Amino acid sequence: MQREHSKTYHFATRLFPKAVRRHVYALYAFMRYADELVDNPGPLTLDEQHRALDEFEAETYRAVEGEAVLNPVLRAYAETVRECGIENRDIRAFLASMKMDTHVFRYRTFRDLEGYTYGSAAVVGLMMCRVVGARDERARPHAEALGTAMQLTNFLRDIGEDWKRGRIYIPQQDMKRFGYAETDLKAGTVDDRFRELIRFESERARSLYAVADAGMKYIPEGRRYPVAVSRALYSRILALIEERDFDVFSGRARTSVAQKFAIAGACATREPQTILARVRETKPGRSG
């Protein structure tokens, strides 16, 4: 599922030791499954999507409690929850945000949007803390910042796709500030108003990436490198949007394979000790 839907994240995930990698795959599959219920629901109405998420949530808790369930995604995820100590409150927050997509389609202010991104992104960072073994509570705000920064990056990259689904994740207050209306968004207008709006939103994401960077030290060295690569790849998308002259309507801003390897190499050069720790964890007899 990850390889099919998120080539950027899949590239970074493959850099984790095997024991960690399987949990990252399970975590991603769980979230993607829920996301698909609202992003690609087929003939389901909004009410039916909400009910499907309610059923999915109930089945999730049954799986976590050890009950046998049919959904293979939930079987894998439940094992990850138990082995890594993922908290039920974070699962609830994530699914609550997924349900918001069935009845909330606009956000007046960034504070309003944060109510959504806490569950859709910040708690993802908290779950990843458990998966990679970052147990220090001081890591929490940095993990939340990284999850949110990556989510905001996705919002900017996917503006056109989200519009087609009837959703706008750019705060209405910000659009009004730059004089950019929904009719402009519908027309796919890229002008100075739009460029300034996206620059403004990009800087908000970059400030969160900076907060995340300050917390990398809480991640065990053998697991830090893939997180750093993922952070660098996603933040690079912001630069690619600028290089496309902010045209996010005619196609997705994507990193090429060459760019992915270049960024991974640069991250390795900056923190060679993380690579050495990764190598030690993959020696024969270990679970790398």
PDB file of all heavy atoms in Angstrom, residues 209-228:
ATOM      1  N   TYR A 209       8.865  22.605  10.326  1.00  0.00           N
ATOM      2  CA  TYR A 209      10.006  21.712  10.052  1.00  0.00           C
ATOM      3  C   TYR A 209      11.184  22.086  10.955  1.00  0.00           C
ATOM      4  O   TYR A 209      11.914  21.214  11.434  1.00  0.00           O
ATOM      5  CB  TYR A 209      10.425  21.813   8.590  1.00  0.00           C
ATOM      6  CG  TYR A 209       9.565  21.023   7.631  1.00  0.00           C
ATOM      7  CD1 TYR A 209       8.910  21.645   6.571  1.00  0.00           C
ATOM      8  CD2 TYR A 209       9.406  19.650   7.772  1.00  0.00           C
ATOM      9  CE1 TYR A 209       8.121  20.931   5.682  1.00  0.00           C
ATOM     10  CE2 TYR A 209       8.615  18.921   6.887  1.00  0.00           C
ATOM     11  CZ  TYR A 209       7.972  19.568   5.844  1.00  0.00           C
ATOM     12  OH  TYR A 209       7.191  18.845   4.964  1.00  0.00           O
ATOM     13  N   ALA A 210      11.366  23.367  11.201  1.00  0.00           N
ATOM     14  CA  ALA A 210      12.461  23.807  12.069  1.00  0.00           C
ATOM     15  C   ALA A 210      12.249  23.326  13.499  1.00  0.00           C
ATOM     16  O   ALA A 210      13.197  22.915  14.186  1.00  0.00           O
ATOM     17  CB  ALA A 210      12.578  25.333  12.032  1.00  0.00           C
ATOM     18  N   VAL A 211      11.009  23.368  13.968  1.00  0.00           N
ATOM     19  CA  VAL A 211      10.695  22.842  15.298  1.00  0.00           C
ATOM     20  C   VAL A 211      10.992  21.342  15.346  1.00  0.00           C
ATOM     21  O   VAL A 211      11.564  20.832  16.315  1.00  0.00           O
ATOM     22  CB  VAL A 211       9.221  23.110  15.658  1.00  0.00           C
ATOM     23  CG1 VAL A 211       8.852  22.410  16.977  1.00  0.00           C
ATOM     24  CG2 VAL A 211       8.963  24.604  15.774  1.00  0.00           C
ATOM     25  N   ALA A 212      10.626  20.638  14.296  1.00  0.00           N
ATOM     26  CA  ALA A 212      10.882  19.193  14.227  1.00  0.00           C
ATOM     27  C   ALA A 212      12.373  18.900  14.272  1.00  0.00           C
ATOM     28  O   ALA A 212      12.816  17.968  14.958  1.00  0.00           O
ATOM     29  CB  ALA A 212      10.269  18.621  12.950  1.00  0.00           C
ATOM     30  N   ASP A 213      13.163  19.689  13.567  1.00  0.00           N
ATOM     31  CA  ASP A 213      14.609  19.460  13.521  1.00  0.00           C
ATOM     32  C   ASP A 213      15.231  19.495  14.913  1.00  0.00           C
ATOM     33  O   ASP A 213      16.151  18.724  15.212  1.00  0.00           O
ATOM     34  CB  ASP A 213      15.284  20.522  12.645  1.00  0.00           C
ATOM     35  CG  ASP A 213      14.968  20.345  11.162  1.00  0.00           C
ATOM     36  OD1 ASP A 213      14.503  19.249  10.785  1.00  0.00           O
ATOM     37  OD2 ASP A 213      15.180  21.297  10.396  1.00  0.00           O
ATOM     38  N   ALA A 214      14.715  20.374  15.759  1.00  0.00           N
ATOM     39  CA  ALA A 214      15.275  20.508  17.108  1.00  0.00           C
ATOM     40  C   ALA A 214      15.013  19.277  17.967  1.00  0.00           C
ATOM     41  O   ALA A 214      15.644  19.108  19.017  1.00  0.00           O
ATOM     42  CB  ALA A 214      14.696  21.750  17.784  1.00  0.00           C
ATOM     43  N   GLY A 215      14.097  18.401  17.531  1.00  0.00           N
ATOM     44  CA  GLY A 215      13.788  17.216  18.319  1.00  0.00           C
ATOM     45  C   GLY A 215      14.360  15.928  17.766  1.00  0.00           C
ATOM     46  O   GLY A 215      14.141  14.854  18.349  1.00  0.00           O
ATOM     47  N   MET A 216      15.112  15.996  16.663  1.00  0.00           N
ATOM     48  CA  MET A 216      15.688  14.785  16.076  1.00  0.00           C
ATOM     49  C   MET A 216      16.596  14.042  17.069  1.00  0.00           C
ATOM     50  O   MET A 216      16.722  12.820  17.014  1.00  0.00           O
ATOM     51  CB  MET A 216      16.475  15.128  14.809  1.00  0.00           C
ATOM     52  CG  MET A 216      15.628  15.553  13.630  1.00  0.00           C
ATOM     53  SD  MET A 216      14.698  14.165  12.941  1.00  0.00           S
ATOM     54  CE  MET A 216      13.829  15.007  11.601  1.00  0.00           C
ATOM     55  N   LYS A 217      17.195  14.786  17.984  1.00  0.00           N
ATOM     56  CA  LYS A 217      18.127  14.180  18.944  1.00  0.00           C
ATOM     57  C   LYS A 217      17.449  13.156  19.853  1.00  0.00           C
ATOM     58  O   LYS A 217      18.119  12.317  20.469  1.00  0.00           O
ATOM     59  CB  LYS A 217      18.766  15.275  19.794  1.00  0.00           C
ATOM     60  CG  LYS A 217      17.762  16.074  20.615  1.00  0.00           C
ATOM     61  CD  LYS A 217      18.406  17.285  21.277  1.00  0.00           C
ATOM     62  CE  LYS A 217      17.377  18.135  22.010  1.00  0.00           C
ATOM     63  NZ  LYS A 217      17.990  19.352  22.586  1.00  0.00           N
ATOM     64  N   TYR A 218      16.112  13.205  19.942  1.00  0.00           N
ATOM     65  CA  TYR A 218      15.407  12.264  20.818  1.00  0.00           C
ATOM     66  C   TYR A 218      15.159  10.911  20.141  1.00  0.00           C
ATOM     67  O   TYR A 218      14.712   9.968  20.798  1.00  0.00           O
ATOM     68  CB  TYR A 218      14.065  12.867  21.261  1.00  0.00           C
ATOM     69  CG  TYR A 218      14.223  14.126  22.069  1.00  0.00           C
ATOM     70  CD1 TYR A 218      13.743  15.346  21.602  1.00  0.00           C
ATOM     71  CD2 TYR A 218      14.864  14.094  23.302  1.00  0.00           C
ATOM     72  CE1 TYR A 218      13.886  16.510  22.340  1.00  0.00           C
ATOM     73  CE2 TYR A 218      15.011  15.255  24.059  1.00  0.00           C
ATOM     74  CZ  TYR A 218      14.531  16.466  23.565  1.00  0.00           C
ATOM     75  OH  TYR A 218      14.677  17.619  24.304  1.00  0.00           O
ATOM     76  N   ILE A 219      15.425  10.824  18.831  1.00  0.00           N
ATOM     77  CA  ILE A 219      15.239   9.570  18.105  1.00  0.00           C
ATOM     78  C   ILE A 219      16.512   8.743  18.221  1.00  0.00           C
ATOM     79  O   ILE A 219      17.609   9.269  18.006  1.00  0.00           O
ATOM     80  CB  ILE A 219      14.922   9.835  16.619  1.00  0.00           C
ATOM     81  CG1 ILE A 219      13.690  10.724  16.492  1.00  0.00           C
ATOM     82  CG2 ILE A 219      14.719   8.511  15.871  1.00  0.00           C
ATOM     83  CD1 ILE A 219      13.411  11.161  15.061  1.00  0.00           C
ATOM     84  N   PRO A 220      16.435   7.460  18.555  1.00  0.00           N
ATOM     85  CA  PRO A 220      17.648   6.627  18.615  1.00  0.00           C
ATOM     86  C   PRO A 220      18.431   6.717  17.314  1.00  0.00           C
ATOM     87  O   PRO A 220      17.851   6.756  16.223  1.00  0.00           O
ATOM     88  CB  PRO A 220      17.083   5.213  18.840  1.00  0.00           C
ATOM     89  CG  PRO A 220      15.771   5.442  19.516  1.00  0.00           C
ATOM     90  CD  PRO A 220      15.219   6.697  18.921  1.00  0.00           C
ATOM     91  N   GLU A 221      19.752   6.731  17.423  1.00  0.00           N
ATOM     92  CA  GLU A 221      20.589   6.989  16.250  1.00  0.00           C
ATOM     93  C   GLU A 221      20.320   6.038  15.092  1.00  0.00           C
ATOM     94  O   GLU A 221      20.312   6.447  13.936  1.00  0.00           O
ATOM     95  CB  GLU A 221      22.073   6.941  16.649  1.00  0.00           C
ATOM     96  CG  GLU A 221      22.544   8.205  17.339  1.00  0.00           C
ATOM     97  CD  GLU A 221      24.051   8.262  17.454  1.00  0.00           C
ATOM     98  OE1 GLU A 221      24.703   7.222  17.259  1.00  0.00           O
ATOM     99  OE2 GLU A 221      24.579   9.352  17.727  1.00  0.00           O
ATOM    100  N   GLY A 222      20.107   4.758  15.368  1.00  0.00           N
ATOM    101  CA  GLY A 222      19.890   3.798  14.296  1.00  0.00           C
ATOM    102  C   GLY A 222      18.573   3.984  13.554  1.00  0.00           C
ATOM    103  O   GLY A 222      18.369   3.388  12.503  1.00  0.00           O
ATOM    104  N   ARG A 223      17.679   4.832  14.101  1.00  0.00           N
ATOM    105  CA  ARG A 223      16.368   5.065  13.486  1.00  0.00           C
ATOM    106  C   ARG A 223      16.181   6.520  13.052  1.00  0.00           C
ATOM    107  O   ARG A 223      15.177   6.861  12.443  1.00  0.00           O
ATOM    108  CB  ARG A 223      15.259   4.704  14.475  1.00  0.00           C
ATOM    109  CG  ARG A 223      15.115   3.183  14.701  1.00  0.00           C
ATOM    110  CD  ARG A 223      15.847   2.707  15.931  1.00  0.00           C
ATOM    111  NE  ARG A 223      15.849   1.250  16.074  1.00  0.00           N
ATOM    112  CZ  ARG A 223      14.879   0.570  16.662  1.00  0.00           C
ATOM    113  NH1 ARG A 223      13.834   1.197  17.138  1.00  0.00           N
ATOM    114  NH2 ARG A 223      14.963  -0.734  16.769  1.00  0.00           N
ATOM    115  N   ARG A 224      17.157   7.370  13.342  1.00  0.00           N
ATOM    116  CA  ARG A 224      17.024   8.806  13.071  1.00  0.00           C
ATOM    117  C   ARG A 224      17.151   9.125  11.585  1.00  0.00           C
ATOM    118  O   ARG A 224      16.466  10.003  11.054  1.00  0.00           O
ATOM    119  CB  ARG A 224      18.086   9.571  13.864  1.00  0.00           C
ATOM    120  CG  ARG A 224      17.919  11.085  13.830  1.00  0.00           C
ATOM    121  CD  ARG A 224      19.038  11.744  14.619  1.00  0.00           C
ATOM    122  NE  ARG A 224      19.149  11.169  15.954  1.00  0.00           N
ATOM    123  CZ  ARG A 224      20.239  11.223  16.717  1.00  0.00           C
ATOM    124  NH1 ARG A 224      21.333  11.803  16.243  1.00  0.00           N
ATOM    125  NH2 ARG A 224      20.244  10.687  17.916  1.00  0.00           N
ATOM    126  N   TYR A 225      18.048   8.421  10.908  1.00  0.00           N
ATOM    127  CA  TYR A 225      18.359   8.737   9.518  1.00  0.00           C
ATOM    128  C   TYR A 225      17.131   8.690   8.601  1.00  0.00           C
ATOM    129  O   TYR A 225      16.885   9.639   7.843  1.00  0.00           O
ATOM    130  CB  TYR A 225      19.457   7.793   9.018  1.00  0.00           C
ATOM    131  CG  TYR A 225      19.794   7.911   7.551  1.00  0.00           C
ATOM    132  CD1 TYR A 225      20.244   9.113   7.012  1.00  0.00           C
ATOM    133  CD2 TYR A 225      19.673   6.814   6.703  1.00  0.00           C
ATOM    134  CE1 TYR A 225      20.567   9.221   5.671  1.00  0.00           C
ATOM    135  CE2 TYR A 225      19.989   6.909   5.359  1.00  0.00           C
ATOM    136  CZ  TYR A 225      20.433   8.117   4.845  1.00  0.00           C
ATOM    137  OH  TYR A 225      20.743   8.209   3.520  1.00  0.00           O
ATOM    138  N   PRO A 226      16.301   7.638   8.639  1.00  0.00           N
ATOM    139  CA  PRO A 226      15.131   7.621   7.759  1.00  0.00           C
ATOM    140  C   PRO A 226      14.154   8.762   8.032  1.00  0.00           C
ATOM    141  O   PRO A 226      13.523   9.278   7.105  1.00  0.00           O
ATOM    142  CB  PRO A 226      14.480   6.262   8.055  1.00  0.00           C
ATOM    143  CG  PRO A 226      15.586   5.435   8.625  1.00  0.00           C
ATOM    144  CD  PRO A 226      16.440   6.382   9.390  1.00  0.00           C
ATOM    145  N   VAL A 227      14.036   9.168   9.301  1.00  0.00           N
ATOM    146  CA  VAL A 227      13.153  10.277   9.641  1.00  0.00           C
ATOM    147  C   VAL A 227      13.707  11.578   9.045  1.00  0.00           C
ATOM    148  O   VAL A 227      12.961  12.392   8.488  1.00  0.00           O
ATOM    149  CB  VAL A 227      12.987  10.407  11.167  1.00  0.00           C
ATOM    150  CG1 VAL A 227      12.089  11.597  11.509  1.00  0.00           C
ATOM    151  CG2 VAL A 227      12.416   9.126  11.752  1.00  0.00           C
ATOM    152  N   ALA A 228      15.027  11.752   9.138  1.00  0.00           N
ATOM    153  CA  ALA A 228      15.656  12.944   8.567  1.00  0.00           C
ATOM    154  C   ALA A 228      15.484  12.975   7.053  1.00  0.00           C
ATOM    155  O   ALA A 228      15.226  14.040   6.466  1.00  0.00           O
ATOM    156  CB  ALA A 228      17.141  12.977   8.938  1.00  0.00           C
TER     157      ALA A 228
END
